[in-house]
Each structure stands twice: as structure tokens, then as C-alpha cells.
Amino acid sequence: YHQAPSTVECQRLLPFSLISKHNKDVLRWLDPERVSSVHLLFAGKDDGLISRFGHVQLRLVVCPQEDRTPQACDSNLYEHLVIGYRAHVDELNINTLKGLVGDYRAYLYAEEFMGSYRQYAINEFRDMLSLPLNLTDQERLAFVKSLAEIHWNFSGDYKFLTRNCATLLQDALRLIWPA
């Protein structure tokens, strides 16, 4: 299912390293031609200090291999990817002071949509809203390729109030999709 691609496939497939709940390295090879749309994905606010303003990410709607109809693409939830900025926290509890002053690193993480849905909608009872971006076919392909490049190359400071998921995503959108 997610095997390493052949040399010919490697020229068109994009690798994403997925977050795993078991801390295993999971590499997903994505064919950008199978991405039918890109959405802004919002998770509503929560009572927790860190989740007080909600969370924003991107959702890549990935079509099944054999069916590119809009209905098939939209219902193929287990292959959709969610990509968003997060603080890399490698300790049991998040240190609020570290988050405020930028002692955590920010990365563009990728995960399966159903993992994100499970976390926000089911485990945390937060609302989720998925809004499609109005991209042409050419813009969508370039967008997905740029996301893969940022995913592997970006690292920066994460500050809960001023350099967070929303501001970092806004900067990336300005770069990838100036329109």
C-alpha cells in the first residue's frame, strides 16, 4: 500500500513523513495528480490554554487510485492528508513559558485526516470546518509540490501567541499561492 516507489514513480510522487501515534516512521508517497482539492481545515477552540484560539491546517483531498469522481474523492477519507504547523514538544507536558518565548521548534507536520479528525472532533469534542481553496489544476499541483518541499525543509521558532499555526500557515500561503 505505501511501499517505496520505483525510480520512474519517484519522479512524480512526493514523500511525506506522517505523525504516528506509536512513534514509528511512516512515509507516505503521494501522487499530486490524485489530489482533487486543497482545503483550509479549522479545529474549533477548546478550554485549554494552548487550544483557546483553535487550530488551522491544510487538508489534501486525495482521490482513490481507480476513481476520480468528486464523490469518490470526498469519501476517500482514509487517504486524505492533513498538513499543518505545530510546535515540536518532546516532553510529557507542554511548558507554557517555553511556548511563549519560542523555545519550541516549529515544523510542517503531516498526518492522516482520520487521525486529525479523531483527535479534534472525537477526543476533544471540537468543531471542525473544511473549506476548499479556489485553485486551478495547475495551481493545485504546484501547491502540493511546494508543501512537500516546505515539509522537508522548514524549521523555525514556535511561539504560542505570535508565531503559531495560523501565522506560519499564512506566511506559507503567501509564498505558495500569492493570488
Side-chain angles (χ1 to χ4, degrees):
Y1 178 69
H2 296 294
Q3 298 175 354
S6 68
T7 306
V8 173
E9 287 177 313
C10 196
Q11 294 175 4
R12 73 170 213 285
L13 299 181
L14 304 171
F16 284 93
S17 177
L18 302 185
I19 294 172
S20 167
K21 64 181 176 180
H22 303 295
N23 290 327
K24 291 178 15 183
D25 289 334
V26 178
L27 192 62
R28 167 79 69 85
W29 290 91
L30 177 67
D31 180 352
E33 297 281 342
R34 289 180 54 204
V35 176
S36 66
S37 60
V38 178
H39 293 213
L40 280 175
L41 182 63
F42 297 95
K45 65 182 179 175
D46 181 301
D47 292 335
L49 176 67
I50 294 156
S51 311
R52 186 161 306 194
F53 303 106
H55 188 60
V56 63
Q57 314 173 91
L58 294 169
R59 175 181 175 192
L60 304 182
V61 176
V62 181
C63 298
Q65 186 70 35
E66 66 286 343
D67 189 355
R68 305 285 169 98
T69 63
Q71 183 179 357
C73 297
D74 289 342
S75 63
N76 190 37
L77 297 175
Y78 286 94
E79 287 193 77
H80 294 190
L81 289 181
V82 172
I83 299 174
Y85 289 95
R86 293 183 182 186
H88 177 74
V89 179
D90 59 357
E91 45 204 22
L92 291 177
N93 295 310
I94 296 174
N95 182 315
T96 305
L97 183 59
K98 283 174 116 177
L100 291 171
V101 299
D103 282 346
Y104 289 122
R105 299 300 295 162
Y107 297 100
L108 186 62
Y109 285 97
E111 67 180 316
E112 293 176 341
F113 170 75
M114 291 307 291
S116 185
Y117 179 79
R118 191 176 305 109
Q119 175 188 348
Y120 295 115
I122 296 173
N123 294 348
E124 298 176 11
F125 301 107
R126 292 163 71 174
D127 293 329
M128 290 188 78
L129 180 63
S130 188
L131 299 171
L133 299 178
N134 189 16
L135 300 169
T136 67
D137 291 343
Q138 216 171 18
E139 287 173 326
R140 187 180 64 254
L141 287 172
F143 196 103
V144 174
K145 289 176 184 178
S146 294
L147 278 178
E149 188 173 324
I150 294 169
H151 169 71
W152 288 103
N153 293 308
F154 176 82
S155 172
D157 295 336
Y158 195 98
K159 296 180 181 179
F160 291 157
L161 299 177
T162 59
R163 191 167 161 79
N164 52 40
C165 64
T167 61
L168 290 165
L169 184 56
Q170 186 176 24
D171 291 345
L173 286 172
R174 259 192 223 109
L175 178 69
I176 296 171
W177 188 40

